[in-house]
Amino acid sequence: MDRCVTCNSELADTSKACPTCGSAAALATVAMELPPPAPNGAKSAHAPPASPKPPSRTSLSRLSETSIPDDGRFLPGTLVNGRYRIVGLLGRGGMGEVYRATDLTLAQPVALKFLPEAGVTERVLERFHAEVRIARQVSHPNICRVYDIGEVDGQPFISMEYVDGEDLAGLLQRIGRLPADKALETSRKICAGLAAAHDKGVIHRDLKPQNIMLNKRGEPVIMDFGLAAVASQLTGAEARNGTPAYMAPEQLRGEEVTAKSDIYSLGLVLYEIFSGKRAYEAKTLADLLKLQESAQAPSLTSLAADVDPQVEKVVKRCLNPDPAQRPATPLAVAAALPGGDPLAAALAAGETPSPEMVAASGKTEGMDLRYSIPLLVFTIAAVIGLPFFAASHDVLQKAPFSYPPVVAEHEARKIAASFGYTQLPDDSSIDYTDGSPIRDYWKTHDRQGKSWSDLIAAESFYTYYYRESPASLVAKPYGWISPDNPAPITAGMIDMRLNFAGRLREFEEIPAEKPASAAPNSPFDEPALFRAIGYNEADFTETPSLRVPMVAYDLRKAWKGPATGLPGIEVHVEAASLAGKLTAVKVVYPWTPARRDPPRRSGPADLIGAFGIFAMTAFAVIFGLVFAVRNLRKNRADRKGAFRLAFVAGLLNFLNWVGTIHHIADLEEWNFFLNALGDSIFTGFTMWVLYLAIEPAVRARWPRALVTWNRLLAGQFGDAQLGASILIGAVIGLGLRIVLELVDWIDYVRDGVPPFNSLRGSGSSLIWFGANAQTMQGALSTGFIVFFTIFGFRNLLKNDYLAALGTAAFFAAIQGQGIWNRPDPWLEGTLLAVIFFILALMLLRMGMLATIVTIFFINTVERINISPSLSSWYTSYGLATMALLIGIAVYAFWRSMGSRTIGDSD
């Protein structure tokens, strides 16, 4: 049976006034009977019962009550459970009595909450235990801590934090309202405490000034989770428990109660804090509901002239009758208050802010147009200008002509047919590689006045390798074709290398075990051979063969002659045939390596290096697993963010596989798929573990670096600051790319050696798609590593500039590992260090998202290859990549504007 909160008399009907003292129990009781909710969430057609005038605040229970008529059931000095010494009765209410006591074991003051002596039903006990279970889930400086539950003489009690102070209701009754500054500070801390409860899925349901204590330091502490519940467990009549004067409209109607209902109660509390008055005064529940639905509370600024208009806007949003129109979280309320910074408050309290708090903190307005417009213009100019600048001195642009892959594949098939292999293959593949040996050769040999353009025109620095087979080319385990995968062991397989002008440079055909009968040493078609290699047979003389082919043969021949256009170079042509058909051809230049030479044996330095990498990898895995499990157990980890990051990383890895492998019409494709899926899952799992291991430490010490990153993980793709971070990251990445291009250009001007282009992502639309997925996945993982390396140095050195220097030295050493072989190692090493220092310093300011975008732009703009005439086969892929980067920049600029427009005065 319930009791009156004023005189503690038993109440037979809580919907009526107390028969003993006349208090309006209906508006003060904790759990009251309301009309049944209308079907389908509609408003009830029955008006709630009328109620007498609500009791004054002096009649409401609070822990600071001093005018107590008796000492309660336990006299001062009573020893409870051999551990707690009763000091005195603090207060009593409908949910029981609260005593101040001393915990003799820990020698500290506590509060003991006992249920009423009468009316301890099973339902009440269940709620009492629920209060402990729920309250112990929430740990925050602005939430009253619950320690334990016990029982004495059959009466259960809770031991909890003793808050020495008074409740907010009593304070407001004494002084009217809080001063503006104190009101803002108190409001933010109430928001932070309520947010901590909501983070655990706990809805308070009875938030009111009487349940908020102010301790001696003036810090608010939210009390009384007796009506709190996990949101998913609120059903039926339980959803309507609470104090009607502080209930949301949907709660009064008996509809669904959510965290937005607590936001409404929070708005009512804030209204009282700033004005000293209740937002709505009503004699009956029907009148109260009508006032709430009209949302016509008196203006705060009319009640208190010093209230900031922004406060009134925030409170008005909280009191919106439609839950969907209220702020999403208490943190959003705190952030919207003037000067609000809940993140700083959490850090000052020594708390690890939640990912939601991090995402809700920081700026929400857009970037000033006087900054964003120049950044956009720079980005577009750099994306368009860099490829044309590179074209002035790179290898690809110095070649007068090159076949696209599809035409080169056609030429390779024509060459094979001219050698007598007219049977069309069941499967074929073509790819390309750069010819580093030829460029390195001409760096150290006399070019006899020939320019690099002349040398490249005479012999391309790029090479196509072509594979064909009478069966599917099964390149295990994933499907990526290489010169040695699949192994050339199937009869009828052809392996061919052509330069970019379609001239044959190597050829091998795997003959059948039972070749066609023919006379031994039958001659082969020599004119067809010389047509394929692109040299004049008349200029060559026969010479002894110097290289043995890997395939079977019964005849070998060799020739030597001048290499047209290459000064002082004698080319050696090797050929072998079996039964009158060529099985091997090799055009040998001075720079041509022997493909079957054994690899160099690993020395001690190599073994030490390999062991070091293995040890670092093993340490990272063990470290990641240990700390990930630790953070999960302590409930510090961002589970949702880690899952989304892992999913995206794994998906990008899988999309790279889809776009770049050689797909086959064979059952082995299923094995490729399973292997790629497993590799993608492992990639995602690795990112998941490392993120769970490291991210909580960053969030606890450097949360502002994760603001836009957390907004991205939360799906806030339209956020203005997120757009600004992407735009700034693009500018940093392009700036760094410009410096790297200038380094290549300086080398070219000084030595005349042209740099190689990256042709990755050219050849087909599917390859382009897969290459961009790979670049994004690489930027995600590399950016993750770079960012957390910066964080590690920052945490170790305790200074942003020192952290930037440490990061710069570390990555300059990795990036420039071969720099000592260059002409000016000190100059280029210093330049690299300066670049990384600026990058690290910028990323310390901008955070993780900008880091990832920076690396994506650095690596992607490198793949933009465009001929000045826009006629080369790779130009279309370069233009598509250019459009992708410009599209990202334009989108980022658009979102960074926020509510601004181009026509704004700035």
Side-chain angles (χ1 to χ4, degrees), residues 17-84:
C18 174
T20 304
C21 66
S23 295
L27 286 180
T29 185
V30 175
M32 67 166 294
E33 295 296 328
L34 291 172
N40 300 323
K43 294 182 181 179
S44 175
H46 303 282
S51 174
K53 183 179 180 180
S56 65
R57 286 195 177 100
T58 55
S59 66
L60 298 174
S61 172
R62 58 179 183 268
L63 296 184
S64 62
E65 183 66 68
T66 56
S67 56
I68 299 173
D70 56 50
D71 293 322
R73 75 184 80 168
F74 298 104
L75 295 175
T78 303
L79 186 63
V80 176
N81 274 11
R83 176 173 180 175
Y84 303 104

Side-chain angles (χ1 to χ4, degrees), residues 298-361:
S299 169
L300 274 176
T301 52
S302 67
L303 297 175
D306 62 342
V307 173
D308 192 309
Q310 181 62 25
V311 173
E312 184 162 24
K313 291 180 182 179
V314 175
V315 173
K316 197 168 184 179
R317 282 193 62 200
C318 293
L319 299 182
N320 195 302
D322 181 4
Q325 300 301 318
R326 298 170 197 158
T329 65
L331 294 179
V333 176
L337 289 171
D341 191 352
L343 190 59
L347 294 176
E351 295 289 316
T352 299
S354 67
E356 292 78 16
M357 178 182 288
V358 173
S361 66

Side-chain angles (χ1 to χ4, degrees), residues 793-815:
F793 277 108
R794 186 181 187 272
N795 201 39
L796 179 67
L797 301 174
K798 311 297 184 185
N799 180 278
D800 285 359
Y801 292 99
L802 292 178
L805 282 172
T807 304
F810 178 75
F811 282 106
I814 294 176
Q815 181 74 17

Side-chain angles (χ1 to χ4, degrees), residues 363-365 707-728 849 853 891-892 895-896:
K363 296 181 179 179
T364 56
E365 70 276 8
V707 170
T708 52
W709 171 252
N710 279 26
R711 291 177 185 178
L712 177 67
L713 290 181
Q716 300 176 24
F717 304 115
D719 179 73
Q721 285 299 307
L722 187 146
S725 289
I726 294 175
L727 187 58
I728 293 175
L849 178 61
V853 175
Y891 174 81
R895 297 317 313 170
S896 73

Side-chain angles (χ1 to χ4, degrees), residues 90 98-101 109-113 158-163:
L90 292 174
V98 180
Y99 292 84
R100 178 180 176 179
V110 295
L112 302 181
K113 179 176 180 179
I158 297 173
S159 62
M160 56 187 179
E161 176 187 5
Y162 169 66
V163 181

Side-chain angles (χ1 to χ4, degrees), residues 383-384 387-388 391 394 396-397 399 402-405 432 464 500 757-765 768 861 863-884:
V383 170
I384 295 175
F388 286 100
D394 62 36
L396 203 57
Q397 301 306 323
S402 63
Y403 281 138
Y432 35 76
Y464 282 117
F500 262 36
N757 304 67
S758 173
L759 283 169
R760 188 167 56 90
S762 302
S764 73
S765 299
W768 180 88
V861 77
R863 295 191 288 103
I864 302 179
N865 296 301
I866 296 178
S867 62
S869 64
L870 302 181
S871 60
S872 297
W873 62 270
Y874 45 78
T875 295
S876 59
Y877 304 106
L879 290 173
T881 306
M882 185 182 292
L884 172 66

